[in-house]
Amino acid sequence: MNITRGQAACMFFQQEHNETNEIELLQKIDSIDVDLCYEKDPAEPISQYIPKIYGNPFRYHRYITTTSEQVRPPQESSNDAQIIVTTNEKRLGSISQVVHYLNEVFLSYNPYNDEVYEYRECTLDMIIEVARRHTTIFDDKNLIGFSKWCSAKNIHFMSVNQKRKGDDFSRSRSLYVLKEKFMGKLCLVFIRNIFELILYISKYC
């Protein structure tokens, strides 16, 4: 399940979630050298010193952002090396990243977060189309191959029974799907974790 950085800020400060509180609380966080992250459960946000987040991005996970939010950037001078993510690099490279991504995008349960997820009837064609946008792993797989791969990796949406869609022979699953505007952002969160670790090592180790 995913929640936004603004939602996490309201949860962290135990304030009602609304746009005004999001802006005020995020400004408060951005005024000091910490940021919100989580270890295992996104619904349990913690504050952490920013260099420590960069030092262990596999333990401290960042929140996705809306258009009006920004993830806190590394504090570096203009002389520091910067890692630029190009269009071709904005794709998941490892199997573990792809498994995690699919499990976060296509939920088999109701996360009760209408701001981030929406209820949809999803065919396997729709799911593989999303996957191919963010990884090259499935470029040479057809639907049968993709289905077998998902079953072998225990992708969560596979546990949902399929039903016939309309009068045709296609079948769909009823899933809670990450909204389109967040899909690319979630992908970049996974990629950024790796790049931030490289940047941190190059600067401090």
Side-chain angles (χ1 to χ4, degrees):
M1 181 184 72
N2 276 283
I3 63 177
T4 68
R5 185 168 177 257
Q7 289 177 318
C10 293
M11 295 167 66
F12 181 78
F13 288 102
Q14 300 180 6
Q15 298 294 314
E16 178 184 0
H17 176 249
N18 56 53
E19 186 175 356
T20 300
N21 282 344
E22 276 196 13
I23 294 173
E24 291 179 354
L25 296 175
L26 288 174
Q27 287 176 346
K28 181 183 296 186
I29 293 169
D30 291 342
S31 67
I32 53 180
D33 198 20
V34 300
D35 198 7
L36 294 179
C37 59
Y38 65 95
E39 294 190 33
K40 294 182 179 179
D41 187 352
E44 297 181 358
I46 60 174
S47 63
Q48 187 58 264
Y49 184 51
I50 292 177
K52 192 168 184 178
I53 296 176
Y54 297 148
N56 196 345
F58 302 104
R59 177 179 178 181
Y60 302 113
H61 307 289
R62 312 300 290 274
Y63 287 99
I64 58 175
T65 61
T66 62
T67 303
S68 60
E69 298 172 15
Q70 296 294 329
V71 174
R72 295 289 300 278
Q75 300 299 315
E76 59 183 17
S77 69
S78 59
N79 295 325
D80 289 327
Q82 296 184 1
I83 295 177
I84 301 174
V85 184
T86 66
T87 301
N88 291 333
E89 290 171 330
K90 292 180 181 178
R91 310 189 82 183
L92 303 172
S94 72
I95 291 178
S96 62
Q97 285 180 325
V98 175
V99 169
H100 192 181
Y101 184 80
L102 290 175
N103 283 338
E104 291 290 338
V105 172
F106 300 99
L107 301 186
S108 59
Y109 60 91
N110 186 352
Y112 297 100
N113 191 349
D114 294 338
E115 183 176 339
V116 179
Y117 287 90
E118 57 188 354
Y119 183 81
R120 295 178 62 181
E121 295 294 330
C122 298
T123 64
L124 208 58
D125 283 292
M126 295 167 60
I127 295 173
I128 194 173
E129 190 276 328
V130 170
R132 282 173 173 165
R133 270 188 273 151
H134 302 294
T135 181
T136 59
I137 289 177
F138 306 117
D139 285 357
D140 60 347
K141 290 187 183 297
N142 56 23
L143 288 181
I144 295 176
F146 178 65
S147 178
K148 289 181 177 179
W149 185 93
C150 290
S151 294
K153 300 300 180 183
N154 296 316
I155 304 301
H156 297 167
F157 73 77
M158 296 295 289
S159 65
V160 178
N161 292 329
Q162 297 185 83
K163 58 185 178 182
R164 183 166 294 179
K165 185 178 181 181
D167 297 328
D168 56 25
F169 293 100
S170 64
R171 293 183 176 274
S172 65
R173 291 178 170 88
S174 300
L175 303 172
Y176 290 88
V177 183
L178 192 71
K179 290 184 178 180
E180 187 75 24
K181 64 181 179 180
F182 293 119
M183 289 184 180
K185 295 176 185 293
L186 178 62
C187 182
L188 288 179
V189 166
F190 291 158
I191 295 171
R192 187 180 292 115
N193 280 345
I194 301 297
F195 287 164
E196 284 176 350
L197 178 60
I198 295 172
L199 179 59
Y200 181 85
I201 291 174
S202 68
K203 288 182 63 178
Y204 300 107
C205 300

